[in-house]
Amino acid sequence: MSEKLEVNIEGKLFAFSTKELSCAVREELLALFYPNGQRKRVSVVELLQAYIIAAEKYAKIHSSLESLYHEIENASIPPQNIIPENHAQPY
């Protein structure tokens, strides 16, 4: 894919750079704006729906990561099980 993406939003052509975007994002943009390899005319409502779906997906990911972080943070090893290096018992 070139670094420039041309999109048709309600009959108006817009172009923007995809240079800084990941391959996954580029693929999502192509699926939205170029299904079957042909540029599609996209409505503002379709753009808003795509944005809401993406925002929901990333909110779920953020929430999952936050929960995982709190689980890790609260799963501490009890101090009695930790032996300092200079007091290690020989086997």
Side-chain angles (χ1 to χ4, degrees):
M1 179 171 149
S2 73
E3 291 182 0
K4 182 177 166 186
L5 181 65
E6 291 184 350
V7 298
N8 180 343
I9 301 171
E10 303 231 334
K12 295 180 183 177
L13 289 180
F14 297 89
F16 59 93
S17 173
T18 60
K19 182 179 176 182
E20 302 295 324
L21 302 177
S22 70
C23 289
V25 171
R26 289 179 190 186
E27 289 173 11
E28 284 189 44
L29 290 172
L30 282 176
L32 177 62
F33 292 109
Y34 286 84
N36 304 318
Q38 298 292 324
R39 183 169 48 216
K40 174 184 171 185
R41 180 180 173 155
V42 178
S43 72
V44 172
V45 172
E46 286 176 283
L47 283 177
L48 183 57
Q49 287 172 333
Y51 175 78
I52 291 169
I53 290 167
E56 177 67 18
K57 181 169 66 172
Y58 292 111
K60 286 179 181 178
I61 291 169
H62 181 267
S63 178
S64 294
L65 287 173
E66 206 170 51
S67 294
L68 180 60
Y69 174 78
H70 289 301
E71 283 181 35
I72 291 169
E73 197 175 45
N74 294 328
S76 62
I77 300 170
Q80 68 271 14
N81 293 344
I82 299 174
I83 301 171
E85 214 174 284
N86 58 353
H87 292 96
Q89 302 282 329
Y91 291 101

